[in-house]
Amino acid sequence: MRKPLRKAIFPVGGLGTRFLPATKAMPKEMLPVVDKPLIQYAVEEARAAGIEEMIFVTGRGKSAIEDHFDYSYELQDLLKERNKDAELAMIDNLLPNPGEFAYVRQQEARGLGHAVWCARNLVGNEPFAVLLADDLVQAKTPCLKQMVEVYNEVGGNVVAVMDVPKAHTDRYGILKTGKESGRLVEAAGLVEKPKPDVAPSTLSIIGRYILQPDVFAHLDQQTPGAGGEIQLTDAMAKMCGRGRFHGYRFEGRRFDCGDKAGFIEANIAYALNHPKIGGRIRDAVLDFAEQQVKVARPEAAE
């Protein structure tokens, strides 16, 4: 009988050096896209997929994440006094149910595989999801919910995938593809950040995974991979061919919010869909675009 997916790991121990100085005193996962931090989007996506237990793998300087999902008595009392019911309800919805959230410390930044391995005792012998908060997916049906629906049908391991330009394969974990059925692709193998001339495909893994606990046996070996880090992709590659393993071409648009340009793109996309400010942002974007055209082609202004 296939075990249901109840647990999710959020690796949030990274330093966020690409966003310095903004992340000098603030976790990168707390960077806001319009009016919510990245980590909140990830938690909401997990809840929408039916996840019951959230496991945060943290590091030094990450207490703001715990505080964000905790009581703020002064703020909540102030909102009550001022009859700001909508804002109070918004804050209350952040609070976890008893036992829903757990935190474990990654004492050294040794890669994504190491971060996932740090949560092994909290996961136990169950399937689990991994969500990377700086991969933000805008979709009608949340990305992980799509994957859970697929997992309930096929079981095994399921990773979210998307096609990338061939020149960019050395930025991602890349699938060696097998049989395809609609949006589902068999994973015959996985390669971490291959050079374009040796990449087995252009189908890359993004930061959404559903994995069987067998992966911990491979992560136990603590074998360094690309960049001298313990790579989750290397451990997953050893599982290919030993059980069901699929890539799923999710519906939606992915934003790489670990990259400055991708983060700005996400803010624009989410702001355009915001019920209160969408129209104003749309006008501003059109105005900026018009001004850029005039700068690039002065004759257009005549």
Side-chain angles (χ1 to χ4, degrees), residues 22-173:
T23 50
K24 181 176 181 292
M26 179 177 68
K28 66 175 181 176
E29 296 82 11
M30 289 300 295
L31 290 171
V33 172
V34 186
D35 52 5
K36 289 190 290 189
L38 288 167
I39 189 62
Q40 185 175 334
Y41 284 100
V43 167
E44 289 176 353
E45 182 178 331
R47 282 175 168 166
I51 297 298
E52 301 171 9
E53 297 182 36
M54 320 279 182
I55 303 166
F56 298 82
V57 182
T58 69
R60 290 176 58 85
K62 299 287 182 169
S63 59
I65 295 174
E66 295 185 41
D67 292 342
H68 182 69
F69 293 106
D70 201 354
Y71 284 94
S72 177
Y73 294 104
E74 297 85 354
L75 175 60
Q76 288 166 274
D77 288 344
L78 182 63
L79 293 174
K80 287 179 183 177
E81 289 175 8
R82 298 185 177 180
N83 296 316
K84 292 187 175 293
D85 296 334
E87 290 82 356
L88 182 60
M90 187 187 308
I91 297 299
D92 286 344
N93 285 337
L94 294 175
L95 301 176
N97 296 316
E100 184 183 10
F101 285 13
Y103 298 88
V104 61
R105 178 67 68 92
Q106 182 186 21
Q107 295 169 323
E108 299 178 75
R110 298 179 60 194
L112 176 58
H114 182 261
V116 170
W117 178 78
C118 287
R120 65 198 182 282
N121 292 330
L122 293 175
V123 171
N125 192 33
E126 293 190 38
F128 62 96
V130 179
L131 296 93
L132 306 188
D134 52 10
D135 264 349
L136 185 59
V137 180
Q138 189 179 46
K140 290 182 180 179
T141 301
C143 183
L144 187 62
K145 186 175 182 180
Q146 296 178 46
M147 295 172 66
V148 169
E149 291 172 357
V150 170
Y151 167 76
N152 289 337
E153 292 180 9
V154 302
N157 304 278
V158 181
V159 293
V161 295
M162 61 179 282
D163 282 295
V164 298
K166 189 171 181 63
H168 295 171
T169 58
D170 58 357
R171 304 178 186 179
Y172 303 95

Side-chain angles (χ1 to χ4, degrees), residues 168-235:
H168 295 171
T169 58
D170 58 357
R171 304 178 186 179
Y172 303 95
I174 301 294
L175 257 66
K176 180 180 179 183
T177 60
K179 295 180 181 178
E180 299 194 21
S181 176
R183 292 182 173 272
L184 211 57
V185 184
E186 284 188 358
L190 297 168
V191 184
E192 178 67 13
K193 299 179 179 178
K195 297 295 183 183
D197 57 337
V198 296
S201 74
T202 58
L203 205 57
S204 79
I205 304 170
I206 71 156
R208 298 291 185 276
Y209 314 77
I210 295 175
L211 300 174
Q212 296 299 317
D214 305 7
V215 72
F216 291 122
H218 302 292
L219 292 172
D220 280 341
Q221 299 173 20
Q222 302 287 287
T223 306
E229 297 184 331
I230 298 168
Q231 299 290 349
L232 181 59
T233 303
D234 292 342

